[in-house]
Amino acid sequence: MKDPKKFWTKKKAQWYMKAIESCNYQQKIISVIGPLLKPEDILLDIGAGVGAFSVPLAKRVKRVTALEPSPAMAEELKNYAKKEGVSNITILQGLWGEVSVEPHDVVLIANTPIVKNREALNAVIKKATRIVILVISLPEENKFFFKELYPIIFKREYTLKIDLKEVFSLLDDSKIKYNVKEVKYNFDQPFDNLEEAVEFWKEYMVLENYENFLKKFLEKRLEKDGDGFRYPLKNSALVIWFSQTFKL
């Protein structure tokens, strides 16, 4: 498992924010989450990232606690909140289990490794006093063209595994009556120019060379977007929610 503190560099955090600002992922997921919230709710967002949910949801609830381990992502979150004039967010920097967290009315867990860890997920659920919301994006088989690039650069196949059995097993074993809704969205990644796109792929694939190869490869596959380029991504996520009226 990748260490989020090291994985999310400043560049990656800025690119992620750039994607959030140009796609409909945020709006699509919040269209499902929003109606579940109450103005008096105190919400805990675990793995808050750049604040894709923390910031807009803070406008709907009393207070938000954003737990984020990456310094780079936490900084982007702070800037985003300031830009949106949101002041009712408390940012806790650290991994789940590293910092003390009080119970909250609502616990939101979006695309974090916790959902794959039965013990951690169990502990997180206990922090909710009213409702738990899970957001799990399904993998895109050739995300960032990795399925094409890995055999060429690394001489091996790119494999991406996702196993939701543990999540649903915990819910079913606990006799939790949960709701599930699939949400389709786009998560396009924009680039000002081809050079920025090359830098993006080098950063994500941890490459020192391959500039010329990537430039030719990406020029043929990225969509032109005004003076820049865009990597188009259509995906879907499962939004799972349930009331905290049980004892695990």
Side-chain angles (χ1 to χ4, degrees):
M1 185 185 300
K2 297 176 181 177
D3 182 350
K5 294 180 180 180
K6 297 178 181 179
F7 176 79
W8 288 107
T9 61
K10 184 176 182 179
K11 286 182 180 179
K12 287 179 181 176
Q14 291 173 339
W15 279 319
Y16 192 87
M17 189 71 241
K18 198 172 182 179
I20 287 292
E21 292 174 339
S22 66
C23 72
N24 65 6
Y25 168 69
Q26 190 180 43
Q27 295 85 352
K28 290 282 189 176
I29 299 298
I30 290 178
S31 70
V32 178
I33 295 176
L36 304 175
L37 305 178
K38 298 179 179 180
E40 64 271 22
D41 278 336
I42 297 175
L43 183 147
L44 172 63
D45 185 2
I46 298 177
V50 298
F53 300 129
S54 288
V55 173
L57 293 181
K59 299 177 182 180
R60 298 177 180 233
V61 300
K62 184 177 180 180
R63 180 165 56 87
V64 170
T65 301
L67 180 64
E68 172 52 47
S70 163
M73 293 293 254
E75 185 63 25
E76 285 296 315
L77 195 164
K78 181 180 178 181
N79 294 336
Y80 183 25
K82 184 177 180 179
K83 177 183 176 183
E84 292 295 314
V86 172
S87 59
N88 59 333
I89 297 180
T90 300
I91 301 174
L92 298 180
Q93 194 173 311
L95 289 165
W96 171 258
E98 288 184 345
V99 294
S100 178
V101 179
E102 64 182 11
H104 286 61
D105 300 307
V106 181
V107 171
L108 169 64
I109 314 167
N111 295 317
T112 74
I114 287 176
V115 299
K116 301 177 184 179
N117 185 309
R118 188 183 185 90
E119 184 178 349
L121 181 59
N122 197 334
V124 167
I125 288 175
K126 291 179 180 179
K127 289 293 181 179
T129 60
R130 192 174 73 80
I131 191 170
V132 178
I133 305 170
L134 309 178
V135 179
I136 306 173
S137 291
L138 304 179
E140 201 281 323
E141 188 177 3
N142 192 28
K143 185 177 181 179
F144 298 150
F145 309 121
F146 286 163
K147 193 172 183 180
E148 298 174 68
L149 290 169
Y150 266 58
I152 298 172
I153 296 176
F154 301 124
K155 310 303 179 185
R156 62 182 175 86
E157 297 295 320
Y158 173 71
T159 56
L160 182 59
K161 296 180 180 180
I162 183 168
D163 188 359
L164 297 176
K165 291 181 180 178
E166 192 65 27
V167 178
F168 288 107
S169 175
L170 172 60
L171 301 180
D172 293 335
D173 290 350
S174 304
K175 294 182 171 51
I176 297 174
K177 294 182 180 180
Y178 55 87
N179 305 277
V180 182
K181 183 176 180 62
E182 183 175 358
V183 181
K184 295 183 179 181
Y185 61 87
N186 68 63
F187 205 99
D188 295 357
Q189 179 67 59
F191 302 102
D192 294 339
N193 48 55
L194 199 55
E195 287 71 26
E196 183 188 8
V198 170
E199 186 181 5
F200 177 94
W201 261 266
K202 286 182 63 179
E203 181 83 6
Y204 268 86
M205 298 185 73
V206 194
L207 300 173
E208 293 184 1
N209 302 307
Y210 291 94
E211 287 91 348
N212 292 334
F213 166 76
L214 285 172
K215 189 172 183 178
K216 293 178 182 179
F217 180 91
L218 295 172
E219 191 171 21
K220 294 179 180 178
R221 289 164 174 78
L222 295 178
E223 293 183 357
K224 202 75 175 67
D225 184 18
D227 293 331
F229 292 85
R230 177 178 298 269
Y231 167 76
L233 174 63
K234 295 185 183 299
N235 207 353
S236 61
L238 298 182
V239 180
I240 306 168
W241 71 95
F242 50 90
S243 298
Q244 179 62 302
T245 56
F246 54 86
K247 292 182 180 180
L248 288 174

